[in-house]
Amino acid sequence: MSIVLGAIADDFTGATDLANNLVRAGMRTLQVIGVPQTALALDDVDAVVVALKSRSCPVREAIDDSLAALAWLQAQGARQIFFKYCSTFDSTDAGNIGPVADALLERLGGIQTVMVPAFPVNARTVYQGHLFVGDRLLNDSGMQHHPLNPMTDADLVRVLSRQTPHDVGLLAKSTLAEGTEATRSRLDALHDQGVRHVICDTLDEDDLKVIAAAVAEFPLVTGGSGLGQALPAEYRRLGWLHPVADPGRLAAASGAALVLSGSCSRATLGQVEDFLSRHEGFALDPLALAESDEQIEQALTFARERLFDEESSAPVLIYASAAPEKVKAAQQRLGAARAGELVERALAGLARTLVTEGVGRLVVAGGETSGAVVSALEVTELRIGEQVDPGVPWTQTSIEGREAPLSLALKSGNFGGVDFFSRAFDALSEERGS
Ligand code: ADP
């Protein structure tokens, strides 16, 4: 059986965000890290999201990686390709959104595509082609200071025009308000005028539905994860996708429960404090890690004594998360890059050892930290389950040497409610019991 949707995401957490929305909208979804090198079993999969690292890399590399992902997804029979980028349209004047979209469209033999970055539930909207974050224009939202992709212009028609030699047009809210037929006619008219890329206004979920209905049969769509919420209903209407009772169903979870936290964001600090009021934890300190591996050994002993106790299945936490003053002090002594590296290396090594020894349910906090853990565990694919909190689903993956799948929840810094760490495991136990 062929997959319905093949997505190419320009970063890892963005891929998970889209995959999560697809599951919630009724598609059984697999996230793969990089282009798969081996054949995958896709019998019970409706959508595959390929996570690349193509947001800020050189344009040529972004194009090559995206075309390799496209070739693989086409070989799996994908009926539609979705190029996923950030809802704040993170890119520079050189790319990579325009050049990648052009390359994909050309390879697919398509004539037109849409750009739909908006994610209204997260307050990312587009009006008259201008991107808003909450009530601020993009260039006044903090994104103008982004270290890699500073966004200093909120007019997406203008932004994209600097990234592509082709004409860029606008599908305005006034047309969307007239419904799907009017939207289709407008897209056709734009095409007749030679417009290849269409920036779409989007104020709310209804606009997303109208856009999805108009573009479900396009070979290529592009946008943020909001569009991923609306497309599956259209695939069902077209008869491409059959209703699935439980698209986020995972195998039974098993094994000891561990939280590793390398995020120092405000939300994570609250989650660490909340967890420590209920369960036990072990703090890592980059200054001690810089001296020797002794603290890693201590953390291992701490975890082993508690995790592999037959009597108890309580989760434990190992964390480097610390308040800003403490982080700053460590960074002043070691340099920010070295402090971060020491923590990431320690947490990634602990993950590898403890998963080998019997951890089967693992929560990781921090985007960079998650990247380090996933590569230490040599994870190449993640089956997406139910979300614990918005944007953070449980996932499952197979690990060499482990018979049962590993359940993994990867939380980027600011996501999740205050009791996320303990609630995540409750959600999983319930799933196991059902
Ligand atoms: P977030 O998603 O919150 O941004 P990340 O994992 O992406 O979290 O980034 C946090 C960075 O801070 C990581 O590189 C991590 O290794 C580093 N870090 C964690 N704890 C400390 C600490 N106590 N001192 C200095 N750096 C730290």
Side-chain angles (χ1 to χ4, degrees):
M1 238 184 63
S2 299
I3 59 171
V4 178
L5 177 66
I8 302 167
D10 68 357
D11 90 333
F12 181 83
T13 44
T16 310
D17 199 9
L18 173 62
N20 186 47
N21 276 349
L22 294 173
V23 170
R24 287 163 56 74
M27 298 187 91
R28 297 165 298 177
T29 304
L30 192 70
Q31 177 176 341
V32 296
I33 299 161
V35 181
Q37 301 302 315
T38 52
L40 299 182
L42 297 175
D43 289 347
D44 62 348
V45 172
D46 305 309
V48 178
V49 182
V50 180
L52 299 178
K53 277 190 182 175
S54 55
R55 182 170 298 168
S56 315
C57 68
V59 176
R60 191 66 249 170
E61 194 180 319
I63 290 175
D64 290 346
D65 290 353
S66 303
L67 289 177
L70 172 63
W72 187 85
L73 289 166
Q74 285 182 302
Q76 314 313 313
R79 291 190 179 225
Q80 185 167 52
I81 299 295
F82 187 139
F83 170 34
K84 157 76 175 67
Y85 39 79
C86 191
S87 60
T88 42
F89 213 73
D90 296 24
S91 51
T92 66
D93 283 354
N96 293 343
I97 294 177
V100 169
D102 276 330
L104 293 173
L105 196 58
E106 209 160 293
R107 186 63 59 88
L108 281 160
I111 46 172
Q112 189 181 54
T113 190
V114 286
M115 308 289 188
V116 192
F119 194 7
V121 290
N122 269 1
R124 267 73 155 169
T125 54
V126 178
Y127 185 60
Q128 301 294 3
H130 288 65
L131 180 52
F132 288 82
V133 178
D135 60 0
R136 314 305 301 172
L137 280 165
L138 178 65
N139 56 303
D140 194 21
S141 68
M143 278 302 293
Q144 70 273 31
H145 302 306
H146 192 283
L148 299 174
N149 320 292
M151 298 303 290
T152 55
D153 188 357
D155 180 342
L156 298 187
V157 173
R158 203 160 52 194
V159 171
L160 192 66
S161 296
R162 290 192 287 262
Q163 299 181 15
T164 172
H166 299 284
D167 283 354
V168 181
L170 174 68
L171 177 64
K173 169 70 189 175
S174 52
T175 306
L176 292 172
E178 289 175 40
T180 307
E181 277 317 311
T183 299
R184 284 203 183 109
S185 307
R186 174 73 184 145
L187 288 169
D188 287 345
L190 286 167
H191 172 250
D192 292 342
Q193 294 163 25
V195 171
R196 185 157 154 137
H197 299 294
V198 184
I199 300 286
C200 297
D201 275 359
T202 313
L203 294 189
D204 54 30
E205 313 277 306
D206 287 340
D207 291 341
L208 284 175
K209 284 185 190 153
V210 172
I211 297 167
V215 304
E217 292 180 86
F218 276 32
L220 176 71
V221 292
T222 87
S225 61
L227 184 60
Q229 283 176 322
L231 284 168
E234 296 304 317
Y235 301 148
R236 280 190 292 271
R237 193 179 52 79
L238 289 166
W240 296 355
L241 177 69
H242 299 295
V244 179
D246 196 0
R249 188 181 186 84
L250 297 176
S254 62
L258 174 67
V259 183
L260 295 173
S261 179
S263 158
C264 300
S265 71
R266 198 180 302 162
T268 306
L269 294 179
Q271 289 156 352
V272 167
E273 192 182 331
D274 180 84
F275 185 91
L276 293 175
S277 72
R278 304 161 198 254
H279 300 290
E280 291 185 275
F282 185 97
L284 295 173
D285 175 2
L287 294 173
L289 294 172
E291 295 295 315
S292 73
D293 284 347
E294 197 184 327
Q295 200 174 52
I296 297 181
E297 287 306 319
Q298 290 167 350
L300 274 176
T301 308
F302 165 88
R304 285 174 177 141
E305 282 173 4
R306 288 158 183 82
L307 288 177
F308 308 127
D309 172 356
E310 301 276 291
E311 310 276 289
S312 158
S313 60
V316 302
L317 164 69
I318 301 176
Y319 63 104
S321 314
E325 320 76 75
K326 230 181 141 194
V327 172
K328 215 170 182 183
Q331 288 178 335
Q332 269 163 4
R333 289 272 298 279
L334 301 167
R338 172 137 169 82
E341 240 169 61
L342 283 163
V343 168
E344 283 167 36
R345 196 178 59 92
L347 291 173
L350 287 165
R352 200 171 45 204
T353 306
L354 291 168
V355 165
T356 311
E357 293 179 8
V359 164
R361 296 171 289 157
L362 178 62
V363 171
V364 185
E368 291 299 321
T369 310
S370 294
V373 167
V374 158
S375 68
L377 292 174
E378 296 177 31
V379 171
T380 55
E381 57 181 271
L382 295 165
R383 178 79 187 216
I384 309 295
E386 297 294 335
Q387 72 173 22
V388 183
D389 272 340
V392 199
W394 269 112
T395 70
Q396 271 183 342
T397 185
S398 53
I399 298 278
E400 213 178 294
R402 217 193 115 77
E403 212 165 292
L406 170 70
S407 298
L408 198 54
L410 305 167
K411 185 194 85 75
S412 61
N414 275 317
F415 282 26
V418 71
D419 56 350
F420 181 90
F421 291 158
S422 30
R423 199 158 34 80
F425 295 109
D426 295 343
L428 202 57
S429 319
E430 275 167 31
E431 211 165 79
R432 182 165 43 162
S434 66

